[in-house]
PDB file of all heavy atoms in Angstrom:
ATOM      1  N   LEU A  80       0.843  -1.197   0.001  1.00  0.00           N
ATOM      2  CA  LEU A  80       0.000   0.001   0.000  1.00  0.00           C
ATOM      3  C   LEU A  80       0.875   1.242  -0.001  1.00  0.00           C
ATOM      4  O   LEU A  80       1.824   1.367   0.784  1.00  0.00           O
ATOM      5  CB  LEU A  80      -0.908   0.012   1.227  1.00  0.00           C
ATOM      6  CG  LEU A  80      -2.001  -1.064   1.271  1.00  0.00           C
ATOM      7  CD1 LEU A  80      -2.776  -0.980   2.578  1.00  0.00           C
ATOM      8  CD2 LEU A  80      -2.960  -0.905   0.092  1.00  0.00           C
ATOM      9  N   GLU A  81       0.550   2.154  -0.906  1.00  0.00           N
ATOM     10  CA  GLU A  81       1.265   3.419  -0.953  1.00  0.00           C
ATOM     11  C   GLU A  81       0.500   4.488  -0.188  1.00  0.00           C
ATOM     12  O   GLU A  81      -0.619   4.266   0.295  1.00  0.00           O
ATOM     13  CB  GLU A  81       1.453   3.838  -2.420  1.00  0.00           C
ATOM     14  CG  GLU A  81       2.254   2.831  -3.236  1.00  0.00           C
ATOM     15  CD  GLU A  81       2.401   3.255  -4.686  1.00  0.00           C
ATOM     16  OE1 GLU A  81       1.836   4.317  -5.042  1.00  0.00           O
ATOM     17  OE2 GLU A  81       3.061   2.527  -5.458  1.00  0.00           O
ATOM     18  N   ARG A  82       1.097   5.684  -0.096  1.00  0.00           N
ATOM     19  CA  ARG A  82       0.485   6.766   0.652  1.00  0.00           C
ATOM     20  C   ARG A  82      -0.889   7.138   0.070  1.00  0.00           C
ATOM     21  O   ARG A  82      -1.837   7.369   0.799  1.00  0.00           O
ATOM     22  CB  ARG A  82       1.401   7.986   0.663  1.00  0.00           C
ATOM     23  CG  ARG A  82       0.896   9.144   1.530  1.00  0.00           C
ATOM     24  CD  ARG A  82       1.861  10.305   1.449  1.00  0.00           C
ATOM     25  NE  ARG A  82       3.157   9.939   1.984  1.00  0.00           N
ATOM     26  CZ  ARG A  82       3.489  10.046   3.264  1.00  0.00           C
ATOM     27  NH1 ARG A  82       2.602  10.520   4.135  1.00  0.00           N
ATOM     28  NH2 ARG A  82       4.686   9.700   3.673  1.00  0.00           N
ATOM     29  N   LYS A  83      -0.993   7.150  -1.260  1.00  0.00           N
ATOM     30  CA  LYS A  83      -2.277   7.516  -1.874  1.00  0.00           C
ATOM     31  C   LYS A  83      -3.336   6.455  -1.589  1.00  0.00           C
ATOM     32  O   LYS A  83      -4.537   6.772  -1.468  1.00  0.00           O
ATOM     33  CB  LYS A  83      -2.104   7.706  -3.375  1.00  0.00           C
ATOM     34  CG  LYS A  83      -1.680   6.461  -4.128  1.00  0.00           C
ATOM     35  CD  LYS A  83      -1.586   6.746  -5.618  1.00  0.00           C
ATOM     36  CE  LYS A  83      -1.209   5.482  -6.404  1.00  0.00           C
ATOM     37  NZ  LYS A  83      -1.127   5.745  -7.863  1.00  0.00           N
ATOM     38  N   ASP A  84      -2.906   5.186  -1.462  1.00  0.00           N
ATOM     39  CA  ASP A  84      -3.861   4.135  -1.111  1.00  0.00           C
ATOM     40  C   ASP A  84      -4.393   4.325   0.306  1.00  0.00           C
ATOM     41  O   ASP A  84      -5.585   4.141   0.569  1.00  0.00           O
ATOM     42  CB  ASP A  84      -3.204   2.759  -1.243  1.00  0.00           C
ATOM     43  CG  ASP A  84      -2.759   2.472  -2.665  1.00  0.00           C
ATOM     44  OD1 ASP A  84      -3.512   2.839  -3.594  1.00  0.00           O
ATOM     45  OD2 ASP A  84      -1.675   1.890  -2.845  1.00  0.00           O
ATOM     46  N   LEU A  85      -3.509   4.693   1.212  1.00  0.00           N
ATOM     47  CA  LEU A  85      -3.923   4.944   2.594  1.00  0.00           C
ATOM     48  C   LEU A  85      -4.892   6.119   2.660  1.00  0.00           C
ATOM     49  O   LEU A  85      -5.864   6.096   3.425  1.00  0.00           O
ATOM     50  CB  LEU A  85      -2.699   5.191   3.476  1.00  0.00           C
ATOM     51  CG  LEU A  85      -1.754   3.994   3.655  1.00  0.00           C
ATOM     52  CD1 LEU A  85      -0.528   4.400   4.457  1.00  0.00           C
ATOM     53  CD2 LEU A  85      -2.479   2.849   4.353  1.00  0.00           C
ATOM     54  N   ARG A  86      -4.606   7.175   1.846  1.00  0.00           N
ATOM     55  CA  ARG A  86      -5.519   8.315   1.814  1.00  0.00           C
ATOM     56  C   ARG A  86      -6.902   7.890   1.329  1.00  0.00           C
ATOM     57  O   ARG A  86      -7.925   8.339   1.853  1.00  0.00           O
ATOM     58  CB  ARG A  86      -4.949   9.421   0.932  1.00  0.00           C
ATOM     59  CG  ARG A  86      -3.793  10.191   1.552  1.00  0.00           C
ATOM     60  CD  ARG A  86      -3.612  11.535   0.850  1.00  0.00           C
ATOM     61  NE  ARG A  86      -3.313  11.357  -0.571  1.00  0.00           N
ATOM     62  CZ  ARG A  86      -2.078  11.303  -1.064  1.00  0.00           C
ATOM     63  NH1 ARG A  86      -1.028  11.404  -0.250  1.00  0.00           N
ATOM     64  NH2 ARG A  86      -1.884  11.160  -2.367  1.00  0.00           N
ATOM     65  N   THR A  87      -6.904   7.027   0.316  1.00  0.00           N
ATOM     66  CA  THR A  87      -8.188   6.541  -0.209  1.00  0.00           C
ATOM     67  C   THR A  87      -8.964   5.779   0.865  1.00  0.00           C
ATOM     68  O   THR A  87     -10.183   5.955   1.024  1.00  0.00           O
ATOM     69  CB  THR A  87      -7.952   5.635  -1.429  1.00  0.00           C
ATOM     70  OG1 THR A  87      -7.260   6.367  -2.431  1.00  0.00           O
ATOM     71  CG2 THR A  87      -9.271   5.127  -1.976  1.00  0.00           C
ATOM     72  N   ILE A  88      -8.268   4.933   1.621  1.00  0.00           N
ATOM     73  CA  ILE A  88      -8.924   4.168   2.687  1.00  0.00           C
ATOM     74  C   ILE A  88      -9.485   5.095   3.757  1.00  0.00           C
ATOM     75  O   ILE A  88     -10.612   4.920   4.236  1.00  0.00           O
ATOM     76  CB  ILE A  88      -7.930   3.155   3.298  1.00  0.00           C
ATOM     77  CG1 ILE A  88      -7.561   2.096   2.258  1.00  0.00           C
ATOM     78  CG2 ILE A  88      -8.527   2.510   4.541  1.00  0.00           C
ATOM     79  CD1 ILE A  88      -6.501   1.121   2.733  1.00  0.00           C
ATOM     80  N   VAL A  89      -8.704   6.113   4.136  1.00  0.00           N
ATOM     81  CA  VAL A  89      -9.172   7.066   5.151  1.00  0.00           C
ATOM     82  C   VAL A  89     -10.412   7.810   4.666  1.00  0.00           C
ATOM     83  O   VAL A  89     -11.395   7.987   5.409  1.00  0.00           O
ATOM     84  CB  VAL A  89      -8.041   8.060   5.506  1.00  0.00           C
ATOM     85  CG1 VAL A  89      -8.587   9.181   6.390  1.00  0.00           C
ATOM     86  CG2 VAL A  89      -6.915   7.333   6.213  1.00  0.00           C
ATOM     87  N   VAL A  90     -10.398   8.247   3.399  1.00  0.00           N
ATOM     88  CA  VAL A  90     -11.564   8.946   2.848  1.00  0.00           C
ATOM     89  C   VAL A  90     -12.791   8.037   2.862  1.00  0.00           C
ATOM     90  O   VAL A  90     -13.895   8.453   3.210  1.00  0.00           O
ATOM     91  CB  VAL A  90     -11.259   9.435   1.410  1.00  0.00           C
ATOM     92  CG1 VAL A  90     -12.538   9.944   0.746  1.00  0.00           C
ATOM     93  CG2 VAL A  90     -10.202  10.534   1.434  1.00  0.00           C
ATOM     94  N   CYS A  91     -12.617   6.775   2.507  1.00  0.00           N
ATOM     95  CA  CYS A  91     -13.738   5.823   2.501  1.00  0.00           C
ATOM     96  C   CYS A  91     -14.292   5.623   3.908  1.00  0.00           C
ATOM     97  O   CYS A  91     -15.517   5.546   4.104  1.00  0.00           O
ATOM     98  CB  CYS A  91     -13.289   4.486   1.912  1.00  0.00           C
ATOM     99  SG  CYS A  91     -12.945   4.538   0.139  1.00  0.00           S
ATOM    100  N   VAL A  92     -13.391   5.526   4.891  1.00  0.00           N
ATOM    101  CA  VAL A  92     -13.850   5.355   6.277  1.00  0.00           C
ATOM    102  C   VAL A  92     -14.636   6.582   6.737  1.00  0.00           C
ATOM    103  O   VAL A  92     -15.683   6.461   7.398  1.00  0.00           O
ATOM    104  CB  VAL A  92     -12.647   5.092   7.208  1.00  0.00           C
ATOM    105  CG1 VAL A  92     -13.077   5.151   8.669  1.00  0.00           C
ATOM    106  CG2 VAL A  92     -12.020   3.750   6.892  1.00  0.00           C
ATOM    107  N   ILE A  93     -14.157   7.779   6.371  1.00  0.00           N
ATOM    108  CA  ILE A  93     -14.866   9.007   6.755  1.00  0.00           C
ATOM    109  C   ILE A  93     -16.241   9.063   6.108  1.00  0.00           C
ATOM    110  O   ILE A  93     -17.253   9.369   6.757  1.00  0.00           O
ATOM    111  CB  ILE A  93     -14.034  10.242   6.366  1.00  0.00           C
ATOM    112  CG1 ILE A  93     -12.750  10.301   7.205  1.00  0.00           C
ATOM    113  CG2 ILE A  93     -14.854  11.517   6.552  1.00  0.00           C
ATOM    114  CD1 ILE A  93     -11.807  11.424   6.791  1.00  0.00           C
ATOM    115  N   LEU A  94     -16.311   8.723   4.806  1.00  0.00           N
ATOM    116  CA  LEU A  94     -17.600   8.731   4.110  1.00  0.00           C
ATOM    117  C   LEU A  94     -18.557   7.700   4.707  1.00  0.00           C
ATOM    118  O   LEU A  94     -19.757   7.966   4.872  1.00  0.00           O
ATOM    119  CB  LEU A  94     -17.391   8.444   2.620  1.00  0.00           C
ATOM    120  CG  LEU A  94     -16.709   9.548   1.812  1.00  0.00           C
ATOM    121  CD1 LEU A  94     -16.481   9.094   0.374  1.00  0.00           C
ATOM    122  CD2 LEU A  94     -17.545  10.829   1.825  1.00  0.00           C
ATOM    123  N   ALA A  95     -18.029   6.528   5.055  1.00  0.00           N
ATOM    124  CA  ALA A  95     -18.865   5.501   5.675  1.00  0.00           C
ATOM    125  C   ALA A  95     -19.393   5.968   7.028  1.00  0.00           C
ATOM    126  O   ALA A  95     -20.554   5.708   7.376  1.00  0.00           O
ATOM    127  CB  ALA A  95     -18.074   4.206   5.830  1.00  0.00           C
ATOM    128  N   SER A  96     -18.563   6.673   7.797  1.00  0.00           N
ATOM    129  CA  SER A  96     -18.996   7.179   9.098  1.00  0.00           C
ATOM    130  C   SER A  96     -20.093   8.225   8.933  1.00  0.00           C
ATOM    131  O   SER A  96     -21.080   8.240   9.698  1.00  0.00           O
ATOM    132  CB  SER A  96     -17.796   7.783   9.848  1.00  0.00           C
ATOM    133  OG  SER A  96     -16.788   6.807  10.041  1.00  0.00           O
ATOM    134  N   ILE A  97     -19.954   9.100   7.936  1.00  0.00           N
ATOM    135  CA  ILE A  97     -20.980  10.105   7.673  1.00  0.00           C
ATOM    136  C   ILE A  97     -22.290   9.437   7.278  1.00  0.00           C
ATOM    137  O   ILE A  97     -23.379   9.808   7.757  1.00  0.00           O
ATOM    138  CB  ILE A  97     -20.512  11.081   6.575  1.00  0.00           C
ATOM    139  CG1 ILE A  97     -19.306  11.900   7.066  1.00  0.00           C
ATOM    140  CG2 ILE A  97     -21.648  12.009   6.154  1.00  0.00           C
ATOM    141  CD1 ILE A  97     -18.699  12.791   5.994  1.00  0.00           C
ATOM    142  N   CYS A  98     -22.207   8.432   6.412  1.00  0.00           N
ATOM    143  CA  CYS A  98     -23.415   7.704   5.991  1.00  0.00           C
ATOM    144  C   CYS A  98     -24.079   7.029   7.185  1.00  0.00           C
ATOM    145  O   CYS A  98     -25.313   7.041   7.321  1.00  0.00           O
ATOM    146  CB  CYS A  98     -23.063   6.666   4.934  1.00  0.00           C
ATOM    147  SG  CYS A  98     -22.512   7.373   3.365  1.00  0.00           S
ATOM    148  N   PHE A  99     -23.272   6.440   8.064  1.00  0.00           N
ATOM    149  CA  PHE A  99     -23.815   5.782   9.255  1.00  0.00           C
ATOM    150  C   PHE A  99     -24.541   6.778  10.145  1.00  0.00           C
ATOM    151  O   PHE A  99     -25.617   6.484  10.694  1.00  0.00           O
ATOM    152  CB  PHE A  99     -22.678   5.100  10.017  1.00  0.00           C
ATOM    153  CG  PHE A  99     -23.148   4.319  11.213  1.00  0.00           C
ATOM    154  CD1 PHE A  99     -23.871   3.149  11.059  1.00  0.00           C
ATOM    155  CD2 PHE A  99     -22.863   4.771  12.493  1.00  0.00           C
ATOM    156  CE1 PHE A  99     -24.299   2.438  12.159  1.00  0.00           C
ATOM    157  CE2 PHE A  99     -23.292   4.062  13.598  1.00  0.00           C
ATOM    158  CZ  PHE A  99     -24.013   2.894  13.439  1.00  0.00           C
ATOM    159  N   PHE A 100     -23.977   7.987  10.274  1.00  0.00           N
ATOM    160  CA  PHE A 100     -24.633   9.024  11.079  1.00  0.00           C
ATOM    161  C   PHE A 100     -25.989   9.395  10.480  1.00  0.00           C
ATOM    162  O   PHE A 100     -26.990   9.522  11.195  1.00  0.00           O
ATOM    163  CB  PHE A 100     -23.749  10.270  11.159  1.00  0.00           C
ATOM    164  CG  PHE A 100     -24.454  11.476  11.704  1.00  0.00           C
ATOM    165  CD1 PHE A 100     -24.687  11.618  13.065  1.00  0.00           C
ATOM    166  CD2 PHE A 100     -24.911  12.473  10.842  1.00  0.00           C
ATOM    167  CE1 PHE A 100     -25.356  12.732  13.563  1.00  0.00           C
ATOM    168  CE2 PHE A 100     -25.569  13.586  11.329  1.00  0.00           C
ATOM    169  CZ  PHE A 100     -25.796  13.716  12.697  1.00  0.00           C
ATOM    170  N   PHE A 101     -26.044   9.568   9.162  1.00  0.00           N
ATOM    171  CA  PHE A 101     -27.310   9.923   8.513  1.00  0.00           C
ATOM    172  C   PHE A 101     -28.338   8.805   8.654  1.00  0.00           C
ATOM    173  O   PHE A 101     -29.531   9.060   8.797  1.00  0.00           O
ATOM    174  CB  PHE A 101     -27.071  10.252   7.038  1.00  0.00           C
ATOM    175  CG  PHE A 101     -26.719  11.687   6.799  1.00  0.00           C
ATOM    176  CD1 PHE A 101     -25.398  12.101   6.811  1.00  0.00           C
ATOM    177  CD2 PHE A 101     -27.711  12.635   6.572  1.00  0.00           C
ATOM    178  CE1 PHE A 101     -25.057  13.435   6.592  1.00  0.00           C
ATOM    179  CE2 PHE A 101     -27.385  13.963   6.358  1.00  0.00           C
ATOM    180  CZ  PHE A 101     -26.060  14.369   6.369  1.00  0.00           C
ATOM    181  N   ILE A 102     -27.882   7.554   8.616  1.00  0.00           N
ATOM    182  CA  ILE A 102     -28.812   6.434   8.808  1.00  0.00           C
ATOM    183  C   ILE A 102     -29.426   6.499  10.203  1.00  0.00           C
ATOM    184  O   ILE A 102     -30.646   6.362  10.371  1.00  0.00           O
ATOM    185  CB  ILE A 102     -28.079   5.093   8.593  1.00  0.00           C
ATOM    186  CG1 ILE A 102     -27.744   4.912   7.117  1.00  0.00           C
ATOM    187  CG2 ILE A 102     -28.940   3.927   9.080  1.00  0.00           C
ATOM    188  CD1 ILE A 102     -26.910   3.689   6.830  1.00  0.00           C
ATOM    189  N   LEU A 103     -28.578   6.702  11.220  1.00  0.00           N
ATOM    190  CA  LEU A 103     -29.099   6.789  12.583  1.00  0.00           C
ATOM    191  C   LEU A 103     -30.034   7.979  12.757  1.00  0.00           C
ATOM    192  O   LEU A 103     -31.038   7.899  13.476  1.00  0.00           O
ATOM    193  CB  LEU A 103     -27.940   6.904  13.580  1.00  0.00           C
ATOM    194  CG  LEU A 103     -27.039   5.667  13.729  1.00  0.00           C
ATOM    195  CD1 LEU A 103     -25.930   5.963  14.726  1.00  0.00           C
ATOM    196  CD2 LEU A 103     -27.854   4.473  14.175  1.00  0.00           C
ATOM    197  N   ARG A 104     -29.737   9.072  12.083  1.00  0.00           N
ATOM    198  CA  ARG A 104     -30.505  10.307  12.283  1.00  0.00           C
ATOM    199  C   ARG A 104     -31.833  10.298  11.530  1.00  0.00           C
ATOM    200  O   ARG A 104     -32.856  10.773  12.039  1.00  0.00           O
ATOM    201  CB  ARG A 104     -29.660  11.506  11.833  1.00  0.00           C
ATOM    202  CG  ARG A 104     -30.363  12.849  11.910  1.00  0.00           C
ATOM    203  CD  ARG A 104     -30.699  13.230  13.347  1.00  0.00           C
ATOM    204  NE  ARG A 104     -31.349  14.525  13.418  1.00  0.00           N
ATOM    205  CZ  ARG A 104     -32.649  14.725  13.231  1.00  0.00           C
ATOM    206  NH1 ARG A 104     -33.443  13.689  12.954  1.00  0.00           N
ATOM    207  NH2 ARG A 104     -33.151  15.938  13.317  1.00  0.00           N
ATOM    208  N   PHE A 105     -31.863   9.742  10.323  1.00  0.00           N
ATOM    209  CA  PHE A 105     -33.041   9.909   9.467  1.00  0.00           C
ATOM    210  C   PHE A 105     -33.720   8.593   9.065  1.00  0.00           C
ATOM    211  O   PHE A 105     -34.639   8.612   8.260  1.00  0.00           O
ATOM    212  CB  PHE A 105     -32.651  10.666   8.187  1.00  0.00           C
ATOM    213  CG  PHE A 105     -32.108  12.034   8.435  1.00  0.00           C
ATOM    214  CD1 PHE A 105     -30.756  12.306   8.256  1.00  0.00           C
ATOM    215  CD2 PHE A 105     -32.937  13.062   8.867  1.00  0.00           C
ATOM    216  CE1 PHE A 105     -30.247  13.576   8.489  1.00  0.00           C
ATOM    217  CE2 PHE A 105     -32.439  14.329   9.099  1.00  0.00           C
ATOM    218  CZ  PHE A 105     -31.091  14.597   8.914  1.00  0.00           C
ATOM    219  N   PHE A 106     -33.272   7.471   9.630  1.00  0.00           N
ATOM    220  CA  PHE A 106     -33.822   6.188   9.192  1.00  0.00           C
ATOM    221  C   PHE A 106     -35.331   6.102   9.411  1.00  0.00           C
ATOM    222  O   PHE A 106     -36.086   5.701   8.529  1.00  0.00           O
ATOM    223  CB  PHE A 106     -33.125   5.048   9.937  1.00  0.00           C
ATOM    224  CG  PHE A 106     -33.598   3.681   9.514  1.00  0.00           C
ATOM    225  CD1 PHE A 106     -33.125   3.102   8.350  1.00  0.00           C
ATOM    226  CD2 PHE A 106     -34.527   2.987  10.268  1.00  0.00           C
ATOM    227  CE1 PHE A 106     -33.560   1.844   7.951  1.00  0.00           C
ATOM    228  CE2 PHE A 106     -34.970   1.741   9.883  1.00  0.00           C
ATOM    229  CZ  PHE A 106     -34.479   1.170   8.722  1.00  0.00           C
ATOM    230  N   TYR A 107     -35.805   6.483  10.597  1.00  0.00           N
ATOM    231  CA  TYR A 107     -37.230   6.341  10.906  1.00  0.00           C
ATOM    232  C   TYR A 107     -38.098   7.334  10.140  1.00  0.00           C
ATOM    233  O   TYR A 107     -39.288   7.107   9.966  1.00  0.00           O
ATOM    234  CB  TYR A 107     -37.456   6.501  12.414  1.00  0.00           C
ATOM    235  CG  TYR A 107     -36.895   5.338  13.204  1.00  0.00           C
ATOM    236  CD1 TYR A 107     -35.701   5.464  13.900  1.00  0.00           C
ATOM    237  CD2 TYR A 107     -37.540   4.114  13.221  1.00  0.00           C
ATOM    238  CE1 TYR A 107     -35.175   4.392  14.615  1.00  0.00           C
ATOM    239  CE2 TYR A 107     -37.026   3.039  13.930  1.00  0.00           C
ATOM    240  CZ  TYR A 107     -35.840   3.191  14.624  1.00  0.00           C
ATOM    241  OH  TYR A 107     -35.309   2.124  15.311  1.00  0.00           O
ATOM    242  N   GLN A 108     -37.497   8.434   9.691  1.00  0.00           N
ATOM    243  CA  GLN A 108     -38.253   9.356   8.851  1.00  0.00           C
ATOM    244  C   GLN A 108     -38.348   8.837   7.416  1.00  0.00           C
ATOM    245  O   GLN A 108     -39.384   8.968   6.768  1.00  0.00           O
ATOM    246  CB  GLN A 108     -37.580  10.731   8.869  1.00  0.00           C
ATOM    247  CG  GLN A 108     -37.598  11.410  10.234  1.00  0.00           C
ATOM    248  CD  GLN A 108     -36.978  12.799  10.186  1.00  0.00           C
ATOM    249  OE1 GLN A 108     -36.931  13.424   9.139  1.00  0.00           O
ATOM    250  NE2 GLN A 108     -36.503  13.277  11.327  1.00  0.00           N
ATOM    251  N   ALA A 109     -37.257   8.259   6.933  1.00  0.00           N
ATOM    252  CA  ALA A 109     -37.259   7.754   5.562  1.00  0.00           C
ATOM    253  C   ALA A 109     -38.050   6.459   5.431  1.00  0.00           C
ATOM    254  O   ALA A 109     -38.667   6.201   4.395  1.00  0.00           O
ATOM    255  CB  ALA A 109     -35.825   7.529   5.090  1.00  0.00           C
ATOM    256  N   PHE A 110     -38.061   5.650   6.495  1.00  0.00           N
ATOM    257  CA  PHE A 110     -38.756   4.366   6.465  1.00  0.00           C
ATOM    258  C   PHE A 110     -39.719   4.286   7.651  1.00  0.00           C
ATOM    259  O   PHE A 110     -39.371   3.728   8.699  1.00  0.00           O
ATOM    260  CB  PHE A 110     -37.759   3.206   6.510  1.00  0.00           C
ATOM    261  CG  PHE A 110     -36.765   3.236   5.382  1.00  0.00           C
ATOM    262  CD1 PHE A 110     -35.498   3.751   5.585  1.00  0.00           C
ATOM    263  CD2 PHE A 110     -37.108   2.783   4.126  1.00  0.00           C
ATOM    264  CE1 PHE A 110     -34.576   3.782   4.551  1.00  0.00           C
ATOM    265  CE2 PHE A 110     -36.199   2.813   3.081  1.00  0.00           C
ATOM    266  CZ  PHE A 110     -34.937   3.321   3.294  1.00  0.00           C
ATOM    267  N   PRO A 111     -40.920   4.845   7.513  1.00  0.00           N
ATOM    268  CA  PRO A 111     -41.861   4.865   8.633  1.00  0.00           C
ATOM    269  C   PRO A 111     -42.277   3.480   9.100  1.00  0.00           C
ATOM    270  O   PRO A 111     -42.738   3.316  10.223  1.00  0.00           O
ATOM    271  CB  PRO A 111     -43.053   5.641   8.065  1.00  0.00           C
ATOM    272  CG  PRO A 111     -42.930   5.532   6.580  1.00  0.00           C
ATOM    273  CD  PRO A 111     -41.461   5.496   6.312  1.00  0.00           C
ATOM    274  N   GLU A 112     -42.111   2.443   8.249  1.00  0.00           N
ATOM    275  CA  GLU A 112     -42.457   1.098   8.677  1.00  0.00           C
ATOM    276  C   GLU A 112     -41.669   0.688   9.920  1.00  0.00           C
ATOM    277  O   GLU A 112     -42.139  -0.098  10.745  1.00  0.00           O
ATOM    278  CB  GLU A 112     -42.174   0.085   7.562  1.00  0.00           C
ATOM    279  CG  GLU A 112     -42.970   0.304   6.288  1.00  0.00           C
ATOM    280  CD  GLU A 112     -42.222   1.128   5.270  1.00  0.00           C
ATOM    281  OE1 GLU A 112     -41.435   2.004   5.698  1.00  0.00           O
ATOM    282  OE2 GLU A 112     -42.415   0.918   4.063  1.00  0.00           O
ATOM    283  N   ALA A 113     -40.448   1.224  10.046  1.00  0.00           N
ATOM    284  CA  ALA A 113     -39.583   0.828  11.146  1.00  0.00           C
ATOM    285  C   ALA A 113     -40.059   1.370  12.487  1.00  0.00           C
ATOM    286  O   ALA A 113     -39.615   0.906  13.533  1.00  0.00           O
ATOM    287  CB  ALA A 113     -38.149   1.299  10.885  1.00  0.00           C
ATOM    288  N   SER A 114     -40.959   2.357  12.470  1.00  0.00           N
ATOM    289  CA  SER A 114     -41.417   2.968  13.722  1.00  0.00           C
ATOM    290  C   SER A 114     -42.861   2.626  14.041  1.00  0.00           C
ATOM    291  O   SER A 114     -43.482   3.275  14.867  1.00  0.00           O
ATOM    292  CB  SER A 114     -41.250   4.496  13.637  1.00  0.00           C
ATOM    293  OG  SER A 114     -41.996   5.012  12.544  1.00  0.00           O
TER     294      SER A 114
END
């Protein structure tokens, strides 16, 4: 793995964390069946 590969992995982890936050925040609004 080179430095640019590590940067790519870090960016992916950050994007995944942001997506996870949005799922926790808006899941029940987007999918009312769950509530």
Side-chain angles (χ1 to χ4, degrees):
L80 292 177
E81 299 179 358
R82 185 181 297 272
K83 63 178 182 179
D84 298 320
L85 294 176
R86 286 200 299 267
T87 301
I88 294 175
V89 171
V90 170
C91 290
V92 170
I93 293 175
L94 290 176
S96 301
I97 294 174
C98 293
F99 184 70
F100 168 77
F101 272 90
I102 289 175
L103 292 179
R104 177 65 179 83
F105 299 108
F106 182 80
Y107 290 103
Q108 295 183 23
F110 302 99
E112 298 94 328
S114 59

